[in-house]
Amino acid sequence: MAQATIGNSEFDRDTAVVLREPGVHDAELSAGWTIIHAVNGGYLLAMVGRALGEVLPHSDPFTITAHYLTASRPGPARIRTEVVRTGRTLSTGQASLVQFAEDGTEVERLRVVAGYGDLDGLPDDVRTTAEPPVMPPYEECLGARNAPDEVAALLGGTEIAGRLDVRLVPETTGWAVGNPSGRGEMRGWFGLSDGRDPDPLSLLLAVDALPPTAFELGLSGWVPTVELTAHIRCRPAPGPLRVAITTRNLAGGFLEEDAEVWDSKDRLVAQSRQLARALTA
């Protein structure tokens, strides 16, 4: 597969924003990043993150929190940004992504607050108890192109699946054959299907790109994100990422998902927590 460089990949084209006026960008939500009919939350976060990176004096997201207010649909969108504070090492901004109803009414889809900085300027010291997830080699994990038919049909059954190169650890795919483990975890290799190497913006997609952990808890309905906070810890090295997501508590129809993303140098490059709603099929 040809290696896509940052700037000419499908992800970059589909998250592009165009300045309309100061503080306002136009965007087009691509149908290629949908799950059923709704646009993926990580893709939306990356698009808004790109707009914020263009208006803040720092270009790298350090922390970004999004509240998803209504389901986004493919089509035109507008992103309004505001610079809240600028500092020497951190800048803070907020943004709102809106779409328009048929009668012209503005509908807000998500609202974001974010802190940006310079990942290349961070010190190299690391003191951690975190360890990379235990996973089989990429070739032994299951994706839409190499899994048994019944698993491949589910892994490749959405538009976004064609844009991703996701290989799940076999023991987290029981849901696809009617035998969920009940452990509330999802682990797998992650990349973009055109071979584009990861960067801080694509990490915002990675934390929300695997199937929901609710599937391994035995649920089969839609799991829309209510709130998602991502922390970008360092610039990822080239190569596929390893993503591990866990859920410890499902109560009252809501669950949390804690994600870790590790790069090819065994570094923890991103973390996230989201609150999602578990809807029955």
Side-chain angles (χ1 to χ4, degrees):
M1 179 182 295
Q3 179 74 24
T5 59
I6 292 175
N8 68 1
S9 78
E10 188 171 31
F11 173 77
D12 294 301
R13 293 193 299 270
D14 289 349
T15 56
V17 295
V18 178
L19 185 66
R20 168 182 283 265
E21 58 188 69
V24 181
H25 289 80
D26 288 330
E28 183 75 19
L29 306 188
S30 169
W33 302 86
T34 55
I35 300 173
I36 309 177
H37 302 296
V39 182
N40 172 261
Y43 163 76
L44 294 173
L45 196 59
M47 177 178 283
V48 173
R50 189 179 295 281
L52 282 168
E54 292 191 3
V55 301
L56 291 170
H58 299 96
S59 60
D60 297 326
F62 277 22
T63 175
I64 184 165
T65 297
H67 285 263
Y68 294 82
L69 308 177
T70 54
S72 299
R73 303 294 186 223
R78 192 162 294 165
I79 302 171
R80 295 191 175 91
T81 61
E82 178 185 351
V83 177
V84 177
R85 178 186 178 276
T86 61
R88 186 174 61 84
T89 58
L90 282 175
S91 299
T92 303
Q94 61 183 12
S96 174
L97 185 147
V98 303
Q99 291 187 290
F100 298 91
E102 292 183 2
D103 62 0
T105 302
E106 187 175 289
V107 182
E108 188 172 14
R109 299 304 193 191
L110 71 155
R111 187 171 296 192
V112 169
V113 177
Y116 274 56
D118 178 12
L119 288 170
D120 294 327
L122 296 178
D124 294 330
D125 63 308
V126 177
R127 307 171 197 179
T128 182
T129 60
E131 296 181 356
V134 177
M135 290 171 47
Y138 170 89
E139 295 76 15
E140 297 177 16
C141 292
L142 301 179
R145 298 175 183 84
N146 74 326
D149 290 346
E150 64 272 23
V151 178
L154 290 173
L155 294 180
T158 61
E159 287 296 326
I160 192 174
R163 277 77 192 165
L164 305 178
D165 183 9
V166 171
R167 295 286 188 96
L168 296 179
V169 172
E171 65 187 47
T172 68
T173 62
W175 57 273
V177 292
N179 187 31
S181 67
R183 290 192 295 268
E185 65 176 2
M186 201 68 62
R187 285 177 285 132
W189 296 87
F190 171 87
L192 293 167
S193 60
D194 61 11
R196 177 197 189 273
D197 278 324
D199 72 344
L201 282 182
S202 68
L203 293 177
L204 299 178
L205 170 67
V207 298
D208 192 43
L210 269 58
T213 55
F215 289 178
E216 276 295 273
L217 289 172
L219 304 182
S220 59
W222 187 34
V223 189
T225 303
V226 176
E227 180 269 342
L228 170 61
T229 295
H231 295 163
I232 307 304
R233 308 306 301 269
C234 63
R235 194 176 305 280
L241 302 168
R242 285 161 290 170
V243 183
I245 308 176
T246 59
T247 291
R248 297 179 58 200
N249 190 54
L250 189 161
F254 291 85
L255 57 88
E256 89 289 341
E257 286 193 340
D258 290 315
E260 292 185 352
V261 183
W262 296 76
D263 72 358
S264 59
K265 292 185 176 180
D266 283 346
R267 299 179 304 169
L268 180 60
V269 294
Q271 296 167 277
S272 73
R273 167 167 280 200
Q274 68 170 281
L275 181 69
R277 189 175 180 185
L279 302 177
T280 57

